[in-house]
């Protein structure tokens, strides 16, 4: 298989975190997100981290060039054999800068996976979503866990509602997404990279669609040992 160099796009609660983890595990790809990259620079106290702290302490957005420089650091350390960027880039500015950065490295994106979920479904999902305070995995109430007070099925940690998931915050995140991130769908479509996935389905069906879109499904069938 040629290496996959992927961005994973989609509105809040479209399943990026879950699908990203599945893809990373199945295909041995390093995965990260803007938040994770910026937190790492900040924890390590790098010059970029100090700059990031300066903006966040003022409650301001970290500028695109700082985000992209941090991504460049991460790629240098992790991305020799492909990568997944989960929910990154978030703006057209970041997408354009990321394109230029990857072009310079000789490692252009191979696919932009768009998890397409209607807004009404998202509201429902968020209302029923619980996150593990220990391992960060999310679960759906009434489906993967039966009670609000259940322990994490993966690690036994405490499940709680994410702060981002209260209705006011969700409305803000949805409008920020519509304004800043939704235009990326067209951006990647114009470059022939967009793989639109109908993500309003069970986790394993969504994953199967992604595998098919990346040409993995056939490849894996052929590679599987014959009886
Ligand atoms: Zn857990």
């Amino acid at each position: 298989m040629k290496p996959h160099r992927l961005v994973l796009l989609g509105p809040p609660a479209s399943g990026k975190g879950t699908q990203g983890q599945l893809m990373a595990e199945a295909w041995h790809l390093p995965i990260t997100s803007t938040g994770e990259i910026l937190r790492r620079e900040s924890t390590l106290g790098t010059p970029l981290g100090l700059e990031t702290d300066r903006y966040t302490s003022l409650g301001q957005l970290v500028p695109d060039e700082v985000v992209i420089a941090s991504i460049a650091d991460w790629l240098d350390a992790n991305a020799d054999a492909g990568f997944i960027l989960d929910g990154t880039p978030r703006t057209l500015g970041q997408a354009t800068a990321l394109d230029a950065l990857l072009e310079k490295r000789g490692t252009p994106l191979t696919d932009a996976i768009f998890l397409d979920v209607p807004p009404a479904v998202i509201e429902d999902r968020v209302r029923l979503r619980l996150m593990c305070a220990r391992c960060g995995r999310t679960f759906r109430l009434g489906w993967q866990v039966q009670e609000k007070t259940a322990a994490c099925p993966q690690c036994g940690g405490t499940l709680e509602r994410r702060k981002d998931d209260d209705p006011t915050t969700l409305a803000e995140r949805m409008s920020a997404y519509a304004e800043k991130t939704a235009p990326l769908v067209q951006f990647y479509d114009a470059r022939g990279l967009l793989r639109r996935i109908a993500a309003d389905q069970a986790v394993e069906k969504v994953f199967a669609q992604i595998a098919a879109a990346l040409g993995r499904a056939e490849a894996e069938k052929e590679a599987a040992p014959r009886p």
Side-chain angles (χ1 to χ4, degrees):
M1 289 300 295
K2 63 179 170 48
H4 294 300
R5 295 184 292 270
L6 311 174
V7 295
L8 193 47
L9 308 169
S14 55
K16 294 190 296 293
T18 304
Q19 296 297 331
Q21 278 310 322
L22 289 173
M23 292 158 68
E25 280 163 27
W27 306 327
H28 309 290
L29 292 169
I31 183 168
T32 195
S33 64
T34 308
E36 212 172 276
I37 286 181
L38 294 179
R39 275 195 297 279
R40 182 174 153 270
E41 297 277 351
S42 168
T43 309
L44 294 175
T46 64
L48 283 170
L50 296 176
E51 216 177 328
T52 298
D53 291 344
R54 212 150 41 83
Y55 292 103
T56 48
S57 68
L58 296 171
Q60 293 171 354
L61 280 181
V62 181
D64 287 348
E65 60 270 21
V66 177
V67 172
I68 294 299
S70 305
I71 293 175
D73 271 5
W74 182 85
L75 289 171
D76 286 342
N78 296 286
D80 283 349
F83 58 82
I84 307 170
L85 296 176
D86 167 8
T88 302
R90 270 188 207 164
T91 64
L92 273 180
Q94 288 177 12
T96 310
L98 179 66
D99 249 18
L101 165 68
L102 292 173
E103 207 56 59
K104 208 165 69 184
R105 294 170 44 101
T107 56
L109 289 179
T110 56
D111 308 87
I113 309 219
F114 171 46
L115 300 183
D116 196 3
V117 181
V121 175
I122 289 171
E123 272 169 40
D124 240 37
R125 280 191 181 183
V126 166
R127 211 163 37 78
L128 299 173
R129 177 159 75 170
L130 295 171
M131 188 171 80
C132 174
R134 193 188 295 164
C135 73
R137 286 189 167 85
T138 56
F139 302 93
R140 209 163 326 158
L141 188 62
W143 182 37
Q144 290 151 311
V145 294
Q146 295 309 318
E147 288 168 50
K148 262 189 190 152
T149 52
C152 170
Q154 289 288 333
C155 78
T158 312
L159 297 183
E160 53 191 27
R161 197 131 198 240
R162 291 168 35 149
K163 283 192 198 82
D164 282 359
D165 283 354
D166 81 75
T168 323
T169 316
L170 178 67
E172 281 164 14
R173 290 165 71 211
M174 290 295 282
S175 75
Y177 172 81
E179 183 194 338
K180 295 189 177 140
T181 312
L184 297 182
V185 171
Q186 223 177 345
F187 176 89
Y188 287 118
D189 202 13
R191 281 159 180 70
L193 296 175
L194 194 77
R195 317 285 173 246
R196 187 185 293 267
I197 305 294
D200 177 15
Q201 298 186 54
V203 168
E204 54 278 16
K205 285 198 175 155
V206 174
F207 183 69
Q209 282 185 69
I210 295 172
L214 298 184
R216 302 281 327 196
E218 286 311 308
E220 269 151 35
K221 248 181 251 162
E222 275 163 32
R226 285 164 203 279

